[in-house]
Amino acid sequence: KTEEGKQQLSADNGAVAITKDLINIGRKAFYTETFGNEVFLTDVTGALDGPMNIGNLTKAILALGGKPTTNLQVTMDRDMKVGDRTFKEGDILNTGLDVPANSLVPLGIITHINDGKIRIGITCAACHATVDKDTGRILEGAPNNDLDTGLIVALASNSAAWFRQTGVNPLTIRRGGHTYIKSNNKQARLPDA
């Protein structure tokens, strides 16, 4: 209320007026801005090319019948071995993906069709919002505590694309016959680090 206080809250000092327009811009970015991660998630990681794909994700969402969930359960459509764990066709996976009522996509997931290919992107809302179990309403700012990003990435056709996020120094990995199973279930060799 003082002149000094008004001066501190002036635009000249970097203050930003919180207006309805600014809030709407922030909300739009929160739900729709992917910062271009569709290419990395879809084309590089292969998030839709593994045993969790657009087909069984869509089936799982349609099976909700318009009801919300805080844990989209997806049925594996093929066998896959990840590390020492084997997933079997027909296994039901707890993804932790939230789906609001009457939605055809999980909360925080954006889909696009580019060059005839479906691509997905992740927005802030995937991790920083959740669906209330009792009311089905979206709770903005509440963390999605059970989102299993590790499982989702592990089931992608190229989970190795996330290697740089692991904190593992590739120069400390023992040299030798490191192999992995490709999305076509054939064994391949990792390059020498």
Side-chain angles (χ1 to χ4, degrees):
K1 293 184 179 183
T2 66
E3 192 56 42
E4 181 184 358
K6 289 177 185 176
Q7 196 60 19
Q8 285 179 334
L9 294 176
S10 74
D12 292 339
N13 284 329
V16 176
I18 305 301
T19 64
K20 286 190 180 215
D21 285 343
L22 183 65
I23 291 170
N24 289 337
I25 289 169
R27 178 167 279 116
K28 181 179 179 190
F30 182 76
Y31 285 108
T32 64
E33 184 57 62
T34 64
F35 304 99
N37 63 36
E38 295 91 338
V39 171
F40 182 71
L41 291 172
T42 308
D43 297 341
V44 177
T45 303
L48 297 177
D49 297 331
M52 191 159 50
N53 50 59
I54 198 70
N56 54 9
L57 284 165
T58 301
K59 285 179 188 175
I61 292 170
L62 291 176
L64 295 172
K67 293 187 176 125
T69 185
T70 60
N71 178 29
L72 183 64
Q73 294 184 311
V74 179
T75 304
M76 292 280 291
D77 70 353
R78 64 189 96 145
D79 294 349
M80 183 173 185
K81 184 171 177 151
V82 178
D84 61 354
R85 186 170 174 191
T86 301
F87 297 91
K88 296 284 188 191
E89 181 179 347
D91 284 355
I92 297 174
L93 304 176
N94 292 311
T95 66
L97 288 166
D98 289 8
V99 181
N102 300 311
S103 179
L104 295 176
V105 293
L107 181 62
I109 304 294
I110 298 292
T111 60
H112 300 285
I113 298 178
N114 297 78
D115 297 325
K117 181 175 183 175
I118 296 174
R119 290 187 170 80
I120 59 163
I122 297 175
T123 72
C124 301
C127 299
H128 301 283
T130 191
V131 172
D132 183 274
K133 288 181 183 183
D134 298 325
T135 66
R137 294 182 57 206
I138 297 172
L139 302 175
E140 296 171 344
N144 184 351
N145 289 331
D146 62 346
L147 179 61
D148 196 343
T149 55
L151 173 71
I152 294 167
V153 169
L155 294 175
S157 63
N158 183 23
S159 59
W162 288 77
F163 188 81
R164 63 189 176 91
Q165 272 78 16
T166 65
V168 174
N169 181 345
L171 299 177
T172 63
I173 297 174
R174 181 177 47 87
R175 293 178 172 229
H178 295 285
T179 61
Y180 67 100
I181 305 298
K182 295 176 18 175
S183 61
N184 63 3
N185 285 331
K186 300 221 186 244
Q187 193 174 54
R189 288 200 174 285
L190 290 174
D192 186 336

